[in-house]
Amino acid sequence: QVQLVESGGGLVQAGGSLRLSCAASGRTFSDYAMGWFRQAPGKEREFVGAITSRGSTNYAESVKGRFTISRDNAKNTVYLQMSSLNPEDTAVYYCAAAHTFGGWGINDATTYATWGQGTQVTVSS
């Protein structure tokens, strides 16, 4: 079982950048697929992107080309590098961990059994 803690959120102007971190505890971090999701007030949680245990990535169309997910298995940490931010990116961002087979269900929140507490990202116009 893995535990997750997000950090790096804050207030940024439109066009700026932020890097979020998700630190994991557990002996088998390298076996997990890691996903990033976000939720704005009054809206449903939506998929942002994910990285498999083998390093393959997938992104929502709305963030493709602007956001990059990476992982450092030696540090048990996954990162979300966000660039060219706009006010529509304002949300609480969550990281999540899941065991997957062949990346099955990597875009589906129900695939993920463990979630972090979330970190607030606010983009001002």
Side-chain angles (χ1 to χ4, degrees):
Q1 191 173 10
V2 64
Q3 294 179 318
L4 308 174
V5 179
E6 301 99 332
S7 62
L11 177 64
V12 64
Q13 293 185 4
S17 300
L18 280 176
R19 188 180 73 163
L20 306 184
S21 299
C22 176
S25 62
R27 296 178 179 176
T28 58
F29 172 79
S30 62
D31 294 335
Y32 286 86
M34 300 295 299
W36 286 96
F37 295 78
R38 65 187 183 185
Q39 188 167 24
K43 296 185 177 181
E44 295 183 356
R45 187 170 300 184
E46 68 171 337
F47 172 76
V48 175
I51 185 167
T52 71
S53 62
R54 301 182 69 178
S56 297
T57 55
N58 192 26
Y59 300 95
E61 189 66 29
S62 61
V63 307
K64 193 173 299 182
R66 300 188 298 121
F67 292 9
T68 301
I69 297 172
S70 61
R71 67 191 299 161
D72 187 339
N73 290 340
K75 297 181 179 179
N76 278 12
T77 302
V78 63
Y79 303 96
L80 179 64
Q81 177 67 51
M82 305 184 292
S83 300
S84 300
L85 287 163
N86 57 63
E88 290 72 43
D89 296 315
T90 295
V92 176
Y93 283 70
Y94 300 89
C95 67
H99 284 293
T100 63
F101 182 79
W104 178 265
I106 198 170
N107 300 345
D108 187 349
T110 63
T111 301
Y112 296 85
T114 304
W115 294 79
Q117 83 287 351
T119 185
Q120 176 71 48
V121 172
T122 303
V123 184
S124 62
S125 61

